């Protein structure tokens, strides 16, 4: 029986690494060791302490190295700087993900994977990412309301041209089908268990008259947002189907009242427990497992959905319950090595950003410290590492990333013919400080001698050295034959005694040349292993 009861006792290194891989990009040897001595409750509580952004001012204009490009006044987009600004925003975002020790940016990625938009080259891209960061562990219902009025979203799904004389159903449809309650079972043509085509039509009427604005700032978020234009709004009453208890929403009487009408609509959607179930299923697939069984539905999804619903869609308690649970650590049955830990394929972000932190491969520190140099390097990291590995910060369709939410393959979708060669050049990238595509020089590289000397102990004993690396790099310790494979990658033609002499010589002379090749071979074998692709 699957159980969401609180896991007792300290985590140990294996479970600490599992929690960190699933909930943060800041997976380091020191954090794994620290979390190993904590209980699940202590560790998860720490993950929910969200630190300030590394650069809360946003991207820095690299022309002058000083100006906070998007937060110190109006930004005039034009062909000369639009591409630079896009590059700056994505580099800034990648840097924030890389340095965030909390769960915040995993959740930022989660929300961006649900409330999907497209690439842009102006300030709207920055504003929406800041909204996701702001609500990372906040209220889902409020986020859904704010996203509806976001300038980028208004344009992406055409709700900025949705007016009483020419209704546009694009956003209304996706709000039901992809963003919130989801379809449920199809009952008849245009009729699903969770909503009907009539509901989409009525929702589109509610959503008429909201237009983009370059100047209005939402006082609750501090972000620029769209505004209500009453002359374009359908002010009639709206009546929804039996799926929503034939609820009536009273039409607005003024521009200011349009926000009340929109809130009534959002409240109606989130007044259905099925909406809570939809979000919990997505959280489960994102953080725990690709697969939902009847047992999981009954013992995990349903109680968590009831908790989320009772909490008014404040996400923190529900997510904490999941990440603290016996089930999350695969300890609710007789075999705690068969289902969850190592059961998902890493997305490119999880593979690469977590790898940078795990292997001390960030020689640059904070990307914004030297804008002119670091933005170009950050751009190469994104364009020539993350993209070839299969990740763009904007999915190719409004359905989102197949690797996170799309049946039947889910996380297996990250690993395909288009990305496999890049994934197996990852060790080269780390060892050489070069991108997997176009061979660009980037300051993200591992110094294996320094790494093994700094983070491990008893390095002269080959078995202990290999064990310590595998404990933090792989989701599970391999069996005897597989362990021997990795050990031989280190030893090569050496005996364990010879290796001990080589390490002792390094310690006495400081010359790591003799051991570097062996350590590089071990690192490459681990980084290129099928096991390292999983978490």
């Amino acid at each position: 029986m699957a159980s969401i009861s609180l896991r007792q006792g300290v985590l140990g290194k294996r479970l600490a690494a599992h929690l960190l891989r699933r909930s943060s990009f800041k997976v380091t040897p020191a954090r794994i060791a620290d979390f190993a001595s904590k209980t699940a409750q202590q560790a998860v509580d720490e993950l929910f302490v969200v630190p300030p952004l590394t650069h809360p001012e946003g991207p820095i204009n690299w022309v002058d190295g000083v100006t906070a490009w998007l937060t110190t006044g109006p930004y005039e987009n034009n062909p000369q700087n639009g591409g630079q600004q896009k590059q700056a925003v994505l580099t800034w975002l990648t840097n924030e993900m890389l340095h965030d020790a909390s769960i915040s940016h995993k959740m930022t990625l989660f929300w961006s994977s649900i409330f999907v938009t497209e690439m842009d080259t102006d300030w709207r891209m920055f504003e929406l990412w800041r909204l996701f960061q702001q609500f990372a562990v906040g209220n889902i219902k409020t986020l859904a309301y704010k996203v509806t009025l976001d300038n980028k979203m208004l344009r992406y799904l055409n709700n900025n041209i949705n007016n009483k004389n020419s209704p546009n159903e694009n956003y209304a449809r996706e709000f039901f089908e992809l963003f919130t309650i989801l379809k449920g079972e199809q009952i008849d043509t245009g009729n699903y268990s969770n909503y009907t085509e009539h509901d989409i039509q009525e929702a589109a009427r509610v959503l008429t008259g909201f237009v983009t604005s370059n100047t209005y700032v939402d006082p609750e978020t501090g972000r620029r947002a769209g505004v209500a234009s009453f002359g374009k709004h359908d002010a009639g009453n709206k009546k929804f189907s039996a799926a929503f208890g034939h609820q009536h929403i009273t039409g607005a009487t003024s521009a200011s009242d349009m926000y009340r009408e929109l809130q009534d609509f959002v409240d109606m959607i989130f007044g259905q427990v099925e909406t809570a179930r939809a979000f919990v299923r997505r959280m489960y697939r994102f953080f725990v497992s690709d697969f939902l069984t009847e047992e999981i539905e009954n013992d995990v999804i349903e109680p968590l959905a009831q908790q989320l619903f009772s909490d008014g869609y404040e996400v923190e308690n529900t997510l904490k319950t999941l990440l603290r649970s016996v089930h999350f650590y695969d300890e609710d049955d007789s075999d705690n090595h068969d289902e969850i830990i190592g059961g998902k394929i890493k997305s490119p972000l999880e593979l690469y950003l977590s790898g940078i932190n795990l292997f001390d491969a960030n020689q640059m520190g904070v990307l914004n410290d030297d804008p002119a140099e670091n933005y170009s390097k950050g751009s190469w990291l994104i364009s020539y590492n993350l993209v070839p590995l299969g990740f763009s910060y904007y999915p190719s369709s409004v359905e989102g990333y197949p690797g996170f939410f799309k049946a039947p393959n889910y996380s297996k979708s990250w690993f395909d013919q288009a990305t496999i060669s890049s994934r197996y050049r990852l060790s080269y990238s780390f060892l050489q400080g070069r991108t997997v595509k176009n061979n660009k020089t980037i300051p993200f590289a591992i110094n294996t001698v320094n790494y093994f000397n700094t983070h491990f102990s008893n390095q002269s004993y080959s078995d202990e050295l290999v064990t310590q690396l595998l404990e933090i790099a792989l989701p599970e310790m391999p069996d005897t034959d597989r362990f021997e494979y990795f050990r031989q990658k280190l030893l090569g033609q050496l005996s364990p005694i010879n290796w001990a002499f080589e390490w002792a010589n390094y310690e006495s002379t400081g010359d790591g040349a003799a051991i570097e090749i062996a350590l590089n071979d071990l690192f490459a074998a681990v980084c290129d292993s099928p096991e390292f692709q999983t978490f």
Side-chain angles (χ1 to χ4, degrees):
M1 178 178 177
S3 172
I4 59 170
S5 61
L6 176 65
R7 187 200 183 270
Q8 302 294 328
V10 298
L11 291 173
K13 189 173 288 187
R14 170 177 171 265
L15 298 185
H18 169 63
L19 174 62
L20 284 167
R21 291 186 194 108
R22 294 292 180 94
S23 57
S24 175
F25 296 109
K26 195 75 176 286
V27 185
T28 69
R31 294 197 80 201
I32 293 172
D34 179 42
F35 273 43
S37 64
K38 298 179 185 295
T39 65
Q41 181 162 331
Q42 291 168 335
V44 171
D45 283 348
E46 183 169 322
L47 285 167
F48 277 80
V49 178
V50 178
L53 293 175
T54 304
H55 281 283
E57 74 278 8
I60 304 297
N61 184 336
W62 60 68
V63 176
D64 61 21
V66 176
T67 307
W69 213 343
L70 304 174
T71 56
T72 58
Y75 173 79
E76 297 297 331
N77 189 46
N78 60 62
Q80 284 70 47
N81 58 23
Q84 291 178 342
Q85 192 219 10
K86 177 186 75 175
Q87 178 177 321
V89 171
L90 295 182
T91 302
W92 166 82
L93 177 61
T94 304
N95 183 62
E96 295 299 337
M97 290 183 169
L98 186 64
H99 289 86
D100 179 20
S102 74
I103 198 171
S104 175
H105 276 88
K106 271 293 181 83
M107 288 301 292
T108 298
L109 176 63
F110 178 75
W111 297 130
S112 74
S113 307
I114 294 175
F115 299 105
V116 172
T117 58
E118 64 185 349
M119 186 70 78
D120 226 327
T121 58
D122 60 27
W123 53 268
R124 295 172 181 86
M125 182 167 66
F126 173 73
E127 294 286 290
L128 184 53
W129 280 107
R130 286 294 288 116
L131 188 66
F132 292 142
Q133 290 170 332
Q134 192 168 352
F135 283 89
V137 292
N139 189 284
I140 306 173
K141 183 168 69 170
T142 305
L143 174 60
Y145 176 91
K146 298 298 184 184
V147 165
T148 300
L149 298 176
D150 176 77
N151 282 296
K152 196 171 191 304
M153 183 63 81
L154 282 168
R155 294 201 311 173
Y156 175 54
L157 289 174
N158 311 120
N159 207 59
N160 62 321
I161 59 172
N162 179 22
N163 65 78
K164 63 183 180 182
N165 297 319
S166 180
N168 187 298
E169 297 177 359
N170 283 2
Y171 184 72
R173 183 175 302 280
E174 306 307 358
F175 194 80
F176 282 105
E177 182 177 335
L178 297 176
F179 295 171
T180 59
I181 196 168
L182 311 184
K183 286 181 176 180
E185 298 297 323
Q186 184 166 0
I187 299 171
D188 202 348
T189 303
N191 185 6
Y192 303 95
S193 58
N194 293 341
Y195 64 87
T196 68
E197 283 294 316
H198 171 76
D199 294 321
I200 292 174
Q201 294 162 8
E202 293 297 277
R205 294 177 61 210
V206 171
L207 294 163
T208 52
F210 292 101
V211 297
T212 58
S213 170
N214 294 350
T215 58
Y216 174 71
V217 175
D218 178 358
E220 294 179 352
T221 65
R223 314 262 74 79
R224 281 170 281 192
V227 296
S229 177
F230 188 61
K232 298 179 180 180
H233 181 63
D234 182 338
N237 297 334
K238 288 82 179 177
K239 181 179 178 181
F240 291 85
S241 72
F244 299 97
H246 298 292
Q247 183 165 337
H248 286 248
I249 291 180
T250 303
T253 59
S254 65
S256 61
D257 196 35
M258 286 171 62
Y259 298 102
R260 184 274 311 162
E261 184 180 343
L262 174 60
Q263 187 65 67
D264 288 347
F265 168 68
V266 173
D267 288 345
M268 181 187 75
I269 299 292
F270 282 82
Q272 312 299 309
V273 177
E274 194 57 47
T275 302
R277 294 188 184 106
F279 280 106
V280 168
R281 289 186 188 109
R282 281 173 149 168
M283 283 188 276
Y284 184 86
R285 286 200 165 102
F286 189 83
F287 286 102
V288 185
S289 174
D290 293 343
F291 304 108
L292 289 171
T293 64
E294 184 177 356
E295 178 187 4
I296 300 302
E297 282 283 350
N298 293 333
D299 299 341
V300 178
I301 304 302
E302 189 58 30
L304 289 178
Q306 293 296 335
Q307 180 180 21
L308 183 62
F309 188 80
S310 297
D311 284 347
Y313 290 91
E314 292 289 345
V315 74
E316 182 170 339
N317 287 337
T318 300
L319 192 51
K320 280 183 173 180
T321 299
L322 179 62
L323 298 178
R324 293 166 174 168
S325 70
V326 171
H327 178 71
F328 177 74
Y329 300 98
D330 198 11
E331 293 183 336
D332 48 4
D333 58 27
S334 59
D335 186 350
N336 64 359
H337 295 267
D338 65 335
E339 295 172 333
I340 293 171
I341 300 175
K344 289 173 65 69
I345 303 293
K346 294 175 183 173
S347 75
L349 277 179
E350 285 146 348
L351 183 69
Y352 191 64
L353 297 189
S354 296
I356 289 174
N357 282 318
L358 183 67
F359 300 129
D360 277 356
N362 186 4
Q363 301 173 4
M364 188 160 61
V366 179
L367 288 174
N368 292 42
D369 284 351
D370 182 356
E373 172 70 10
N374 293 342
Y375 276 142
S376 63
K377 302 301 186 185
S379 179
W380 290 346
L381 180 155
I382 295 164
S383 299
Y384 303 128
N385 263 12
L386 292 181
V387 172
L389 287 168
F391 184 84
S392 169
Y393 275 106
Y394 292 91
S396 58
S397 81
V398 70
E399 291 183 300
Y401 303 101
F404 289 145
F405 303 127
K406 192 162 180 69
N409 291 326
Y410 298 104
S411 68
K412 291 180 181 178
S413 301
W414 295 117
F415 196 93
D416 57 27
Q417 291 181 332
T419 62
I420 187 171
S421 62
S422 295
R423 281 184 173 249
Y424 284 111
R425 278 179 62 81
L426 191 61
S427 63
Y428 167 84
S429 177
F430 278 129
L431 288 169
Q432 301 299 321
R434 292 183 175 271
T435 56
V436 298
K437 180 181 178 182
N438 289 15
N439 212 36
K440 294 279 190 179
T441 301
I442 53 176
F444 296 93
I446 180 175
N447 179 323
T448 51
V449 175
N450 183 66
Y451 180 75
F452 281 87
N453 183 51
T454 300
H455 293 292
F456 301 148
S457 60
N458 298 321
Q459 295 93 331
S460 61
Y461 297 94
S462 58
D463 281 19
E464 290 195 32
L465 186 148
V466 173
T467 296
Q468 290 172 82
L469 176 63
L470 297 183
E471 280 180 334
I472 62 173
L474 303 186
E476 298 280 16
M477 284 297 292
D479 62 22
T480 302
D481 290 344
R482 188 66 171 153
F483 181 89
E484 183 61 22
Y485 164 80
F486 290 118
R487 192 173 78 111
Q488 285 304 313
K489 285 294 182 180
L490 172 71
L491 294 176
Q493 301 302 312
L494 298 175
S495 69
I497 296 297
N498 294 143
W499 170 257
F501 288 146
E502 294 287 359
W503 188 270
N505 181 65
Y506 159 67
E507 290 187 316
S508 63
T509 67
D511 182 1
I515 62 173
E516 184 175 15
I517 294 174
L519 293 175
N520 285 356
D521 286 346
L522 171 62
F523 170 79
V526 172
C527 191
D528 291 343
S529 69
E531 297 97 321
F532 187 71
Q533 306 291 326
T534 68
F535 73 137

